[in-house]
PDB file of all heavy atoms in Angstrom:
ATOM      1  N   HIS U 345      -2.370  -2.529   8.644  1.00 94.00           N
ATOM      2  CA  HIS U 345      -1.693  -3.191   9.754  1.00 94.00           C
ATOM      3  C   HIS U 345      -1.929  -4.703   9.694  1.00 94.00           C
ATOM      4  O   HIS U 345      -1.001  -5.500   9.883  1.00 94.00           O
ATOM      5  CB  HIS U 345      -2.210  -2.625  11.077  1.00 94.00           C
ATOM      6  CG  HIS U 345      -1.314  -2.895  12.239  1.00 94.00           C
ATOM      7  ND1 HIS U 345      -1.618  -2.499  13.520  1.00 94.00           N
ATOM      8  CD2 HIS U 345      -0.119  -3.539  12.339  1.00 94.00           C
ATOM      9  CE1 HIS U 345      -0.655  -2.885  14.347  1.00 94.00           C
ATOM     10  NE2 HIS U 345       0.257  -3.522  13.660  1.00 94.00           N
ATOM     11  N   ILE U 346      -3.179  -5.103   9.402  1.00 97.00           N
ATOM     12  CA  ILE U 346      -3.472  -6.526   9.291  1.00 97.00           C
ATOM     13  C   ILE U 346      -2.720  -7.138   8.107  1.00 97.00           C
ATOM     14  O   ILE U 346      -2.136  -8.229   8.218  1.00 97.00           O
ATOM     15  CB  ILE U 346      -4.987  -6.760   9.157  1.00 97.00           C
ATOM     16  CG1 ILE U 346      -5.678  -6.418  10.479  1.00 97.00           C
ATOM     17  CG2 ILE U 346      -5.290  -8.215   8.761  1.00 97.00           C
ATOM     18  CD1 ILE U 346      -7.190  -6.493  10.432  1.00 97.00           C
ATOM     19  N   ARG U 347      -2.723  -6.456   6.975  1.00 97.00           N
ATOM     20  CA  ARG U 347      -2.007  -6.987   5.805  1.00 97.00           C
ATOM     21  C   ARG U 347      -0.523  -7.134   6.092  1.00 97.00           C
ATOM     22  O   ARG U 347       0.113  -8.108   5.676  1.00 97.00           O
ATOM     23  CB  ARG U 347      -2.238  -6.065   4.604  1.00 97.00           C
ATOM     24  CG  ARG U 347      -3.675  -6.064   4.086  1.00 97.00           C
ATOM     25  CD  ARG U 347      -3.790  -5.295   2.786  1.00 97.00           C
ATOM     26  NE  ARG U 347      -5.168  -5.250   2.311  1.00 97.00           N
ATOM     27  CZ  ARG U 347      -5.965  -4.188   2.398  1.00 97.00           C
ATOM     28  NH1 ARG U 347      -5.504  -3.058   2.945  1.00 97.00           N
ATOM     29  NH2 ARG U 347      -7.203  -4.228   1.947  1.00 97.00           N
ATOM     30  N   ALA U 348       0.046  -6.166   6.807  1.00 96.00           N
ATOM     31  CA  ALA U 348       1.468  -6.252   7.154  1.00 96.00           C
ATOM     32  C   ALA U 348       1.725  -7.444   8.070  1.00 96.00           C
ATOM     33  O   ALA U 348       2.740  -8.139   7.942  1.00 96.00           O
ATOM     34  CB  ALA U 348       1.921  -4.955   7.820  1.00 96.00           C
ATOM     35  N   ALA U 349       0.802  -7.698   9.004  1.00 98.00           N
ATOM     36  CA  ALA U 349       0.957  -8.840   9.907  1.00 98.00           C
ATOM     37  C   ALA U 349       0.861 -10.159   9.150  1.00 98.00           C
ATOM     38  O   ALA U 349       1.612 -11.105   9.421  1.00 98.00           O
ATOM     39  CB  ALA U 349      -0.106  -8.785  11.003  1.00 98.00           C
ATOM     40  N   LEU U 350      -0.041 -10.231   8.189  1.00 98.00           N
ATOM     41  CA  LEU U 350      -0.173 -11.458   7.393  1.00 98.00           C
ATOM     42  C   LEU U 350       1.103 -11.763   6.619  1.00 98.00           C
ATOM     43  O   LEU U 350       1.421 -12.932   6.377  1.00 98.00           O
ATOM     44  CB  LEU U 350      -1.357 -11.326   6.433  1.00 98.00           C
ATOM     45  CG  LEU U 350      -2.751 -11.331   7.085  1.00 98.00           C
ATOM     46  CD1 LEU U 350      -3.817 -10.960   6.062  1.00 98.00           C
ATOM     47  CD2 LEU U 350      -3.050 -12.692   7.694  1.00 98.00           C
ATOM     48  N   GLU U 351       1.825 -10.725   6.260  1.00 97.00           N
ATOM     49  CA  GLU U 351       3.064 -10.921   5.504  1.00 97.00           C
ATOM     50  C   GLU U 351       4.165 -11.586   6.329  1.00 97.00           C
ATOM     51  O   GLU U 351       5.089 -12.164   5.765  1.00 97.00           O
ATOM     52  CB  GLU U 351       3.582  -9.576   4.970  1.00 97.00           C
ATOM     53  CG  GLU U 351       2.762  -9.007   3.827  1.00 97.00           C
ATOM     54  CD  GLU U 351       2.828  -9.887   2.589  1.00 97.00           C
ATOM     55  OE1 GLU U 351       3.925 -10.356   2.242  1.00 97.00           O
ATOM     56  OE2 GLU U 351       1.757 -10.122   1.979  1.00 97.00           O
ATOM     57  N   VAL U 352       4.079 -11.506   7.647  1.00 98.00           N
ATOM     58  CA  VAL U 352       5.132 -12.115   8.470  1.00 98.00           C
ATOM     59  C   VAL U 352       4.754 -13.510   8.955  1.00 98.00           C
ATOM     60  O   VAL U 352       5.484 -14.108   9.742  1.00 98.00           O
ATOM     61  CB  VAL U 352       5.528 -11.208   9.667  1.00 98.00           C
ATOM     62  CG1 VAL U 352       6.016  -9.859   9.180  1.00 98.00           C
ATOM     63  CG2 VAL U 352       4.378 -11.054  10.639  1.00 98.00           C
ATOM     64  N   VAL U 353       3.610 -14.025   8.481  1.00 98.00           N
ATOM     65  CA  VAL U 353       3.245 -15.414   8.786  1.00 98.00           C
ATOM     66  C   VAL U 353       3.988 -16.335   7.819  1.00 98.00           C
ATOM     67  O   VAL U 353       3.887 -16.172   6.612  1.00 98.00           O
ATOM     68  CB  VAL U 353       1.726 -15.638   8.651  1.00 98.00           C
ATOM     69  CG1 VAL U 353       1.378 -17.083   9.010  1.00 98.00           C
ATOM     70  CG2 VAL U 353       0.945 -14.666   9.524  1.00 98.00           C
ATOM     71  N   ALA U 354       4.730 -17.280   8.350  1.00 98.00           N
ATOM     72  CA  ALA U 354       5.465 -18.217   7.506  1.00 98.00           C
ATOM     73  C   ALA U 354       4.490 -19.139   6.780  1.00 98.00           C
ATOM     74  O   ALA U 354       3.392 -19.419   7.285  1.00 98.00           O
ATOM     75  CB  ALA U 354       6.425 -19.042   8.358  1.00 98.00           C
ATOM     76  N   PRO U 355       4.850 -19.633   5.587  1.00 98.00           N
ATOM     77  CA  PRO U 355       4.000 -20.611   4.906  1.00 98.00           C
ATOM     78  C   PRO U 355       3.686 -21.794   5.822  1.00 98.00           C
ATOM     79  O   PRO U 355       4.578 -22.338   6.475  1.00 98.00           O
ATOM     80  CB  PRO U 355       4.850 -21.039   3.710  1.00 98.00           C
ATOM     81  CG  PRO U 355       5.707 -19.835   3.425  1.00 98.00           C
ATOM     82  CD  PRO U 355       6.031 -19.262   4.784  1.00 98.00           C
ATOM     83  N   GLY U 356       2.424 -22.142   5.917  1.00 98.00           N
ATOM     84  CA  GLY U 356       1.996 -23.191   6.833  1.00 98.00           C
ATOM     85  C   GLY U 356       1.795 -22.724   8.253  1.00 98.00           C
ATOM     86  O   GLY U 356       1.392 -23.518   9.113  1.00 98.00           O
ATOM     87  N   GLY U 357       2.072 -21.445   8.508  1.00 98.00           N
ATOM     88  CA  GLY U 357       1.973 -20.900   9.858  1.00 98.00           C
ATOM     89  C   GLY U 357       0.575 -20.415  10.193  1.00 98.00           C
ATOM     90  O   GLY U 357      -0.326 -20.366   9.344  1.00 98.00           O
ATOM     91  N   LEU U 358       0.385 -20.031  11.457  1.00 98.00           N
ATOM     92  CA  LEU U 358      -0.912 -19.620  11.971  1.00 98.00           C
ATOM     93  C   LEU U 358      -0.946 -18.140  12.324  1.00 98.00           C
ATOM     94  O   LEU U 358       0.064 -17.564  12.761  1.00 98.00           O
ATOM     95  CB  LEU U 358      -1.267 -20.423  13.221  1.00 98.00           C
ATOM     96  CG  LEU U 358      -1.410 -21.942  13.067  1.00 98.00           C
ATOM     97  CD1 LEU U 358      -1.766 -22.570  14.416  1.00 98.00           C
ATOM     98  CD2 LEU U 358      -2.454 -22.301  12.015  1.00 98.00           C
ATOM     99  N   PHE U 359      -2.108 -17.556  12.147  1.00 98.00           N
ATOM    100  CA  PHE U 359      -2.349 -16.158  12.475  1.00 98.00           C
ATOM    101  C   PHE U 359      -3.550 -16.089  13.402  1.00 98.00           C
ATOM    102  O   PHE U 359      -4.676 -16.435  13.020  1.00 98.00           O
ATOM    103  CB  PHE U 359      -2.621 -15.364  11.190  1.00 98.00           C
ATOM    104  CG  PHE U 359      -2.888 -13.896  11.395  1.00 98.00           C
ATOM    105  CD1 PHE U 359      -1.943 -13.083  12.000  1.00 98.00           C
ATOM    106  CD2 PHE U 359      -4.072 -13.317  10.954  1.00 98.00           C
ATOM    107  CE1 PHE U 359      -2.172 -11.726  12.177  1.00 98.00           C
ATOM    108  CE2 PHE U 359      -4.319 -11.965  11.123  1.00 98.00           C
ATOM    109  CZ  PHE U 359      -3.355 -11.162  11.734  1.00 98.00           C
ATOM    110  N   GLY U 360      -3.332 -15.667  14.657  1.00 98.00           N
ATOM    111  CA  GLY U 360      -4.409 -15.493  15.619  1.00 98.00           C
ATOM    112  C   GLY U 360      -4.759 -14.027  15.733  1.00 98.00           C
ATOM    113  O   GLY U 360      -3.886 -13.192  16.002  1.00 98.00           O
ATOM    114  N   ILE U 361      -6.026 -13.684  15.527  1.00 98.00           N
ATOM    115  CA  ILE U 361      -6.434 -12.280  15.483  1.00 98.00           C
ATOM    116  C   ILE U 361      -7.670 -12.060  16.336  1.00 98.00           C
ATOM    117  O   ILE U 361      -8.559 -12.912  16.417  1.00 98.00           O
ATOM    118  CB  ILE U 361      -6.698 -11.834  14.024  1.00 98.00           C
ATOM    119  CG1 ILE U 361      -7.075 -10.354  13.964  1.00 98.00           C
ATOM    120  CG2 ILE U 361      -7.762 -12.714  13.358  1.00 98.00           C
ATOM    121  CD1 ILE U 361      -7.149  -9.795  12.550  1.00 98.00           C
ATOM    122  N   ARG U 362      -7.701 -10.895  16.966  1.00 97.00           N
ATOM    123  CA  ARG U 362      -8.860 -10.463  17.784  1.00 97.00           C
ATOM    124  C   ARG U 362      -8.967  -8.958  17.633  1.00 97.00           C
ATOM    125  O   ARG U 362      -8.011  -8.227  17.965  1.00 97.00           O
ATOM    126  CB  ARG U 362      -8.650 -10.876  19.237  1.00 97.00           C
ATOM    127  CG  ARG U 362      -9.751 -10.486  20.212  1.00 97.00           C
ATOM    128  CD  ARG U 362      -9.434 -11.110  21.570  1.00 97.00           C
ATOM    129  NE  ARG U 362     -10.172 -10.529  22.653  1.00 97.00           N
ATOM    130  CZ  ARG U 362     -11.332 -10.992  23.139  1.00 97.00           C
ATOM    131  NH1 ARG U 362     -11.871 -12.061  22.584  1.00 97.00           N
ATOM    132  NH2 ARG U 362     -11.920 -10.406  24.157  1.00 97.00           N
ATOM    133  N   VAL U 363     -10.099  -8.466  17.102  1.00 96.00           N
ATOM    134  CA  VAL U 363     -10.251  -7.038  16.819  1.00 96.00           C
ATOM    135  C   VAL U 363     -11.628  -6.548  17.232  1.00 96.00           C
ATOM    136  O   VAL U 363     -12.575  -7.327  17.386  1.00 96.00           O
ATOM    137  CB  VAL U 363     -10.031  -6.729  15.319  1.00 96.00           C
ATOM    138  CG1 VAL U 363      -8.599  -6.994  14.900  1.00 96.00           C
ATOM    139  CG2 VAL U 363     -11.006  -7.517  14.436  1.00 96.00           C
ATOM    140  N   ASN U 364     -11.755  -5.240  17.350  1.00 94.00           N
ATOM    141  CA  ASN U 364     -13.026  -4.609  17.675  1.00 94.00           C
ATOM    142  C   ASN U 364     -14.090  -4.942  16.643  1.00 94.00           C
ATOM    143  O   ASN U 364     -13.816  -4.998  15.440  1.00 94.00           O
ATOM    144  CB  ASN U 364     -12.868  -3.085  17.711  1.00 94.00           C
ATOM    145  CG  ASN U 364     -12.070  -2.596  18.896  1.00 94.00           C
ATOM    146  OD1 ASN U 364     -11.857  -3.310  19.864  1.00 94.00           O
ATOM    147  ND2 ASN U 364     -11.618  -1.349  18.817  1.00 94.00           N
ATOM    148  N   ALA U 365     -15.331  -5.129  17.092  1.00 96.00           N
ATOM    149  CA  ALA U 365     -16.459  -5.403  16.212  1.00 96.00           C
ATOM    150  C   ALA U 365     -17.474  -4.272  16.274  1.00 96.00           C
ATOM    151  O   ALA U 365     -17.643  -3.621  17.311  1.00 96.00           O
ATOM    152  CB  ALA U 365     -17.131  -6.718  16.605  1.00 96.00           C
ATOM    153  N   VAL U 366     -18.156  -4.053  15.157  1.00 94.00           N
ATOM    154  CA  VAL U 366     -19.261  -3.089  15.164  1.00 94.00           C
ATOM    155  C   VAL U 366     -20.314  -3.570  16.163  1.00 94.00           C
ATOM    156  O   VAL U 366     -20.444  -4.761  16.431  1.00 94.00           O
ATOM    157  CB  VAL U 366     -19.882  -2.947  13.759  1.00 94.00           C
ATOM    158  CG1 VAL U 366     -18.897  -2.314  12.793  1.00 94.00           C
ATOM    159  CG2 VAL U 366     -20.366  -4.288  13.231  1.00 94.00           C
ATOM    160  N   GLY U 367     -21.049  -2.620  16.719  1.00 91.00           N
ATOM    161  CA  GLY U 367     -22.029  -2.952  17.749  1.00 91.00           C
ATOM    162  C   GLY U 367     -21.503  -2.754  19.147  1.00 91.00           C
ATOM    163  O   GLY U 367     -22.253  -2.883  20.115  1.00 91.00           O
ATOM    164  N   THR U 368     -20.204  -2.432  19.256  1.00 88.00           N
ATOM    165  CA  THR U 368     -19.611  -2.158  20.562  1.00 88.00           C
ATOM    166  C   THR U 368     -20.125  -0.821  21.116  1.00 88.00           C
ATOM    167  O   THR U 368     -20.310   0.147  20.364  1.00 88.00           O
ATOM    168  CB  THR U 368     -18.074  -2.099  20.432  1.00 88.00           C
ATOM    169  OG1 THR U 368     -17.582  -3.403  20.159  1.00 88.00           O
ATOM    170  CG2 THR U 368     -17.422  -1.565  21.693  1.00 88.00           C
ATOM    171  N   THR U 369     -20.332  -0.788  22.409  1.00 82.00           N
ATOM    172  CA  THR U 369     -20.622   0.462  23.109  1.00 82.00           C
ATOM    173  C   THR U 369     -19.353   0.901  23.829  1.00 82.00           C
ATOM    174  O   THR U 369     -18.991   0.329  24.856  1.00 82.00           O
ATOM    175  CB  THR U 369     -21.749   0.284  24.133  1.00 82.00           C
ATOM    176  OG1 THR U 369     -22.925  -0.205  23.471  1.00 82.00           O
ATOM    177  CG2 THR U 369     -22.067   1.601  24.820  1.00 82.00           C
ATOM    178  N   PRO U 370     -18.628   1.884  23.283  1.00 79.00           N
ATOM    179  CA  PRO U 370     -17.356   2.282  23.898  1.00 79.00           C
ATOM    180  C   PRO U 370     -17.536   2.754  25.330  1.00 79.00           C
ATOM    181  O   PRO U 370     -18.566   3.334  25.689  1.00 79.00           O
ATOM    182  CB  PRO U 370     -16.867   3.422  22.995  1.00 79.00           C
ATOM    183  CG  PRO U 370     -17.556   3.193  21.689  1.00 79.00           C
ATOM    184  CD  PRO U 370     -18.904   2.638  22.054  1.00 79.00           C
ATOM    185  N   GLY U 371     -16.509   2.509  26.137  1.00 74.00           N
ATOM    186  CA  GLY U 371     -16.580   2.854  27.540  1.00 74.00           C
ATOM    187  C   GLY U 371     -16.141   4.261  27.856  1.00 74.00           C
ATOM    188  O   GLY U 371     -16.154   4.664  29.026  1.00 74.00           O
ATOM    189  N   ARG U 372     -15.732   5.026  26.858  1.00 75.00           N
ATOM    190  CA  ARG U 372     -15.358   6.415  27.094  1.00 75.00           C
ATOM    191  C   ARG U 372     -15.942   7.267  25.975  1.00 75.00           C
ATOM    192  O   ARG U 372     -16.314   6.746  24.918  1.00 75.00           O
ATOM    193  CB  ARG U 372     -13.836   6.574  27.178  1.00 75.00           C
ATOM    194  CG  ARG U 372     -13.052   6.009  26.029  1.00 75.00           C
ATOM    195  CD  ARG U 372     -11.560   6.222  26.193  1.00 75.00           C
ATOM    196  NE  ARG U 372     -11.184   7.607  26.047  1.00 75.00           N
ATOM    197  CZ  ARG U 372     -10.095   8.007  25.388  1.00 75.00           C
ATOM    198  NH1 ARG U 372      -9.284   7.116  24.827  1.00 75.00           N
ATOM    199  NH2 ARG U 372      -9.802   9.279  25.301  1.00 75.00           N
ATOM    200  N   PRO U 373     -16.067   8.585  26.168  1.00 81.00           N
ATOM    201  CA  PRO U 373     -16.721   9.440  25.179  1.00 81.00           C
ATOM    202  C   PRO U 373     -16.053   9.345  23.804  1.00 81.00           C
ATOM    203  O   PRO U 373     -14.832   9.376  23.684  1.00 81.00           O
ATOM    204  CB  PRO U 373     -16.571  10.843  25.773  1.00 81.00           C
ATOM    205  CG  PRO U 373     -16.445  10.627  27.242  1.00 81.00           C
ATOM    206  CD  PRO U 373     -15.671   9.338  27.379  1.00 81.00           C
ATOM    207  N   SER U 374     -16.889   9.226  22.765  1.00 84.00           N
ATOM    208  CA  SER U 374     -16.372   9.116  21.406  1.00 84.00           C
ATOM    209  C   SER U 374     -17.407   9.626  20.422  1.00 84.00           C
ATOM    210  O   SER U 374     -18.576   9.848  20.776  1.00 84.00           O
ATOM    211  CB  SER U 374     -16.015   7.661  21.085  1.00 84.00           C
ATOM    212  OG  SER U 374     -17.176   6.853  21.046  1.00 84.00           O
ATOM    213  N   GLU U 375     -16.975   9.802  19.191  1.00 89.00           N
ATOM    214  CA  GLU U 375     -17.862  10.218  18.118  1.00 89.00           C
ATOM    215  C   GLU U 375     -17.520   9.436  16.863  1.00 89.00           C
ATOM    216  O   GLU U 375     -16.393   8.942  16.719  1.00 89.00           O
ATOM    217  CB  GLU U 375     -17.720  11.721  17.853  1.00 89.00           C
ATOM    218  CG  GLU U 375     -16.320  12.137  17.419  1.00 89.00           C
ATOM    219  CD  GLU U 375     -16.145  13.644  17.327  1.00 89.00           C
ATOM    220  OE1 GLU U 375     -17.057  14.380  17.744  1.00 89.00           O
ATOM    221  OE2 GLU U 375     -15.078  14.079  16.840  1.00 89.00           O
ATOM    222  N   VAL U 376     -18.470   9.299  15.973  1.00 90.00           N
ATOM    223  CA  VAL U 376     -18.223   8.599  14.718  1.00 90.00           C
ATOM    224  C   VAL U 376     -17.380   9.502  13.816  1.00 90.00           C
ATOM    225  O   VAL U 376     -17.776  10.624  13.507  1.00 90.00           O
ATOM    226  CB  VAL U 376     -19.538   8.225  14.020  1.00 90.00           C
ATOM    227  CG1 VAL U 376     -19.264   7.640  12.643  1.00 90.00           C
ATOM    228  CG2 VAL U 376     -20.327   7.238  14.872  1.00 90.00           C
ATOM    229  N   ALA U 377     -16.215   9.005  13.423  1.00 91.00           N
ATOM    230  CA  ALA U 377     -15.333   9.757  12.536  1.00 91.00           C
ATOM    231  C   ALA U 377     -15.589   9.416  11.078  1.00 91.00           C
ATOM    232  O   ALA U 377     -15.439  10.272  10.202  1.00 91.00           O
ATOM    233  CB  ALA U 377     -13.869   9.475  12.881  1.00 91.00           C
ATOM    234  N   ALA U 378     -15.967   8.152  10.809  1.00 94.00           N
ATOM    235  CA  ALA U 378     -16.234   7.731   9.431  1.00 94.00           C
ATOM    236  C   ALA U 378     -17.061   6.455   9.449  1.00 94.00           C
ATOM    237  O   ALA U 378     -16.874   5.592  10.304  1.00 94.00           O
ATOM    238  CB  ALA U 378     -14.930   7.511   8.678  1.00 94.00           C
ATOM    239  N   GLU U 379     -17.980   6.348   8.486  1.00 95.00           N
ATOM    240  CA  GLU U 379     -18.737   5.135   8.257  1.00 95.00           C
ATOM    241  C   GLU U 379     -18.448   4.668   6.835  1.00 95.00           C
ATOM    242  O   GLU U 379     -18.340   5.480   5.918  1.00 95.00           O
ATOM    243  CB  GLU U 379     -20.244   5.383   8.444  1.00 95.00           C
ATOM    244  CG  GLU U 379     -20.624   5.786   9.853  1.00 95.00           C
ATOM    245  CD  GLU U 379     -22.109   6.055   9.995  1.00 95.00           C
ATOM    246  OE1 GLU U 379     -22.552   7.134   9.530  1.00 95.00           O
ATOM    247  OE2 GLU U 379     -22.815   5.195  10.550  1.00 95.00           O
ATOM    248  N   TYR U 380     -18.326   3.361   6.645  1.00 94.00           N
ATOM    249  CA  TYR U 380     -17.881   2.830   5.364  1.00 94.00           C
ATOM    250  C   TYR U 380     -18.935   1.923   4.747  1.00 94.00           C
ATOM    251  O   TYR U 380     -19.811   1.388   5.441  1.00 94.00           O
ATOM    252  CB  TYR U 380     -16.566   2.060   5.553  1.00 94.00           C
ATOM    253  CG  TYR U 380     -15.474   2.889   6.180  1.00 94.00           C
ATOM    254  CD1 TYR U 380     -15.266   2.868   7.563  1.00 94.00           C
ATOM    255  CD2 TYR U 380     -14.667   3.724   5.422  1.00 94.00           C
ATOM    256  CE1 TYR U 380     -14.267   3.635   8.148  1.00 94.00           C
ATOM    257  CE2 TYR U 380     -13.675   4.495   6.003  1.00 94.00           C
ATOM    258  CZ  TYR U 380     -13.475   4.443   7.362  1.00 94.00           C
ATOM    259  OH  TYR U 380     -12.499   5.210   7.947  1.00 94.00           O
ATOM    260  N   ASP U 381     -18.819   1.738   3.428  1.00 93.00           N
ATOM    261  CA  ASP U 381     -19.825   0.968   2.710  1.00 93.00           C
ATOM    262  C   ASP U 381     -19.801  -0.515   3.069  1.00 93.00           C
ATOM    263  O   ASP U 381     -20.740  -1.252   2.746  1.00 93.00           O
ATOM    264  CB  ASP U 381     -19.674   1.147   1.193  1.00 93.00           C
ATOM    265  CG  ASP U 381     -18.276   0.842   0.686  1.00 93.00           C
ATOM    266  OD1 ASP U 381     -17.449   0.320   1.468  1.00 93.00           O
ATOM    267  OD2 ASP U 381     -18.007   1.106  -0.501  1.00 93.00           O
ATOM    268  N   ASP U 382     -18.745  -0.994   3.724  1.00 91.00           N
ATOM    269  CA  ASP U 382     -18.710  -2.392   4.163  1.00 91.00           C
ATOM    270  C   ASP U 382     -19.340  -2.577   5.544  1.00 91.00           C
ATOM    271  O   ASP U 382     -19.325  -3.667   6.104  1.00 91.00           O
ATOM    272  CB  ASP U 382     -17.282  -2.943   4.153  1.00 91.00           C
ATOM    273  CG  ASP U 382     -16.330  -2.202   5.092  1.00 91.00           C
ATOM    274  OD1 ASP U 382     -16.801  -1.353   5.880  1.00 91.00           O
ATOM    275  OD2 ASP U 382     -15.113  -2.469   5.039  1.00 91.00           O
ATOM    276  N   GLY U 383     -19.908  -1.492   6.078  1.00 93.00           N
ATOM    277  CA  GLY U 383     -20.578  -1.561   7.367  1.00 93.00           C
ATOM    278  C   GLY U 383     -19.695  -1.266   8.554  1.00 93.00           C
ATOM    279  O   GLY U 383     -20.186  -1.152   9.686  1.00 93.00           O
ATOM    280  N   SER U 384     -18.384  -1.151   8.340  1.00 94.00           N
ATOM    281  CA  SER U 384     -17.477  -0.877   9.455  1.00 94.00           C
ATOM    282  C   SER U 384     -17.499   0.613   9.798  1.00 94.00           C
ATOM    283  O   SER U 384     -17.974   1.455   9.029  1.00 94.00           O
ATOM    284  CB  SER U 384     -16.061  -1.333   9.116  1.00 94.00           C
ATOM    285  OG  SER U 384     -15.541  -0.607   8.010  1.00 94.00           O
ATOM    286  N   VAL U 385     -16.968   0.936  10.983  1.00 95.00           N
ATOM    287  CA  VAL U 385     -17.035   2.297  11.515  1.00 95.00           C
ATOM    288  C   VAL U 385     -15.708   2.651  12.177  1.00 95.00           C
ATOM    289  O   VAL U 385     -15.114   1.822  12.875  1.00 95.00           O
ATOM    290  CB  VAL U 385     -18.165   2.429  12.560  1.00 95.00           C
ATOM    291  CG1 VAL U 385     -18.173   3.818  13.197  1.00 95.00           C
ATOM    292  CG2 VAL U 385     -19.512   2.126  11.938  1.00 95.00           C
ATOM    293  N   THR U 386     -15.254   3.868  11.961  1.00 95.00           N
ATOM    294  CA  THR U 386     -14.128   4.403  12.721  1.00 95.00           C
ATOM    295  C   THR U 386     -14.668   5.441  13.701  1.00 95.00           C
ATOM    296  O   THR U 386     -15.419   6.336  13.316  1.00 95.00           O
ATOM    297  CB  THR U 386     -13.084   5.059  11.805  1.00 95.00           C
ATOM    298  OG1 THR U 386     -12.513   4.072  10.943  1.00 95.00           O
ATOM    299  CG2 THR U 386     -11.966   5.695  12.632  1.00 95.00           C
ATOM    300  N   ARG U 387     -14.294   5.284  14.964  1.00 92.00           N
ATOM    301  CA  ARG U 387     -14.701   6.228  15.994  1.00 92.00           C
ATOM    302  C   ARG U 387     -13.489   7.022  16.472  1.00 92.00           C
ATOM    303  O   ARG U 387     -12.373   6.532  16.452  1.00 92.00           O
ATOM    304  CB  ARG U 387     -15.352   5.514  17.177  1.00 92.00           C
ATOM    305  CG  ARG U 387     -16.583   4.702  16.821  1.00 92.00           C
ATOM    306  CD  ARG U 387     -17.329   4.257  18.063  1.00 92.00           C
ATOM    307  NE  ARG U 387     -17.951   5.381  18.741  1.00 92.00           N
ATOM    308  CZ  ARG U 387     -19.180   5.839  18.468  1.00 92.00           C
ATOM    309  NH1 ARG U 387     -19.917   5.261  17.542  1.00 92.00           N
ATOM    310  NH2 ARG U 387     -19.678   6.866  19.139  1.00 92.00           N
TER     311      ARG U 387
END
Side-chain angles (χ1 to χ4, degrees):
H345 198 182
I346 291 175
R347 292 188 182 104
L350 290 170
E351 288 295 316
V352 301
V353 181
L358 298 180
F359 180 59
I361 182 172
R362 179 174 164 94
V363 294
N364 289 344
V366 293
T368 291
T369 303
R372 53 180 290 221
S374 67
E375 61 187 8
V376 174
E379 297 179 284
Y380 304 94
D381 54 9
D382 61 8
S384 63
V385 176
T386 296
R387 301 191 69 88

